[in-house]
Amino acid sequence: MSKGERLPIRTLVRHGAAAGIIKLASAGLTFLLFMAAAMVTDQRQFGLFSTAYAGASLVSFFSIVGQHAAVLRFWPQYAGIGDIASANGLMVRAMRLTLIGLTVSTLLVAAVALMPIAGVPEWQSLILATAGLTLALGWSEFTACALRAKNDLFGGLLPRDIVWRVVAILVFAFSGFFAQGLSAVTATTLSAGLLLLCVLPQTIILLRDTYRNLRGPLTPAQKAEFNTVTLGLWGVTALPPALGQASTLLVAAILGPEAAGGIFVADRVMRLAVLALNGINQAVAPQISGAFHRGEREHVQRLTGLAAIGGFALALAMLVVFVLFGRPILAIFDPAYATGTLHAALILLGLGAVIGTACGPTELTMQLTGLQRELFRTLVVVNTLGLAVTAGLTLLLGPVGAALGMAGTMAAWCMLGATITRRQIGIDPSVFGFFTGQDATAVRLLLKGRS
């Protein structure tokens, strides 16, 4: 089977299930990673580490110039029609832009170290470590998406989602036996160095396959399309994940690093609720792009409907878990986090995740079907207003207000995006799309036959 060929639904279901398991394992390992970091640092140092991690993540989303989404958008399109030369030419162009963006972003972050902050003696060292983590996070995201675009699901996901986290947990745990406590600078530096080491095999494979195989220059029309789409993808792929990190930084600025650490933990726990949808998205992304640009809209509707119903079911189940066991889960990181305030914040974030997953793979569908400009406008307006509202609610209500603003923003743009997608291209990526598509008809016929 060629790398751009349409995969059967059964194969996609297996890939989606496998990706979901990987994402579940990744979430569990992320949980353990930050728990290990919290155990080998004190409350202040963990707050600084979580702030540095959030800052590096925030910058890394913008630093790769949307190229991780561009390869998912264009590689299946070109490879699906057998134009491997253009596909490889596109990959070379994307890699160059990614490296330029990462270099500029890393240097800009490092330059922030020249502006010391009173009361944070480790400021300069922490910023330099954050710059290194920015580079590592950005490059690992691009290599993972580049391999996923070629339907190499496991090669794309395993190094960062599994291997890096396992290695980092072991290193943090091992260091606890030889030191009374790690500093935020050391924890951040270790995270960056280990991540670059773990994705080195991906880098070698990607460079080898791209430069060894046939590749050709893009036509003027292809370059124009690439440039136009890239500008839109840059914004739409950076804003949603950046919002969560920006909110953590906002809480840190308003309430201090200790409160930021609590919101950071609640936000990471909340992400358990979106695991199923994220996992399914890893498998269906290249298939949505290839099918849509071949004119197979019914197939795209089927894929998005199945993704939505699977993601929503897990999110709803996780919300129940948050309500019943939220405090013990938060206490694993630090007993100081097992408060009614942070438990309420976790439940609010979980509610936002339930609404977001009910809207299905809206962001992904808009990215891959040419609606990146509409998505960008939606994200800019909703997220700008959302950050302002989050800041006001944080000042008024503390961590609960921050969670309310974050959850409301997530729900608002997901619902608006699903509405735009349905109106613009006639594809409903939400759970309602499942109940009106082919699969719903098949289920109804099956139930009718059994009755």
Side-chain angles (χ1 to χ4, degrees), residues 25-94:
S26 175
L29 291 171
T30 300
F31 190 89
L32 293 174
L33 172 62
F34 287 110
M35 184 176 71
M39 292 176 65
V40 296
T41 58
D42 59 31
Q43 191 171 359
R44 178 179 180 277
Q45 290 299 317
F46 181 72
L48 290 174
F49 169 69
S50 61
T51 302
Y53 190 95
S57 299
L58 173 62
V59 178
S60 72
F61 299 139
F62 292 94
S63 67
I64 51 180
V65 204
Q67 295 310 294
H68 61 309
V71 294
L72 282 169
R73 161 71 167 79
F74 287 109
W75 175 276
Q77 178 181 338
Y78 296 150
I81 60 175
D83 190 0
I84 299 300
S86 292
N88 281 323
L90 172 280
M91 188 66 73
V92 171
R93 190 180 184 88

Side-chain angles (χ1 to χ4, degrees), residues 148-235:
R148 281 173 49 214
K150 300 181 178 185
N151 285 324
D152 186 359
L153 183 68
F154 300 106
L157 294 180
L158 289 176
R160 172 170 164 164
D161 283 10
I162 303 298
V163 177
W164 170 52
R165 286 166 169 80
V166 170
V167 172
I169 290 168
L170 292 176
V171 170
F172 282 154
F174 188 72
S175 66
F177 292 104
F178 295 94
Q180 292 184 347
L182 289 183
S183 68
V185 174
T186 302
T188 306
T189 302
L190 283 173
S191 299
L194 292 172
L195 179 54
L196 287 174
L197 184 63
C198 289
V199 301
L200 181 60
Q202 279 183 320
T203 303
I204 294 173
I205 291 171
L206 184 60
L207 292 174
R208 182 200 64 192
D209 291 347
T210 301
Y211 285 94
R212 176 183 295 177
N213 297 328
L214 177 67
R215 65 184 186 278
L218 300 179
T219 66
Q222 289 173 329
K223 290 180 181 179
E225 184 184 20
F226 176 86
N227 292 336
T228 301
V229 172
T230 287
L231 288 174
L233 290 177
W234 189 2

Side-chain angles (χ1 to χ4, degrees), residues 396-428:
L396 289 173
L397 303 174
V400 171
L404 184 60
M406 293 164 65
T409 304
M410 179 194 309
W413 81 255
C414 285
M415 291 188 293
L416 186 55
T419 301
I420 293 172
T421 304
R422 184 173 61 252
R423 291 177 177 175
Q424 292 284 342
I425 61 175
I427 295 172
D428 187 348

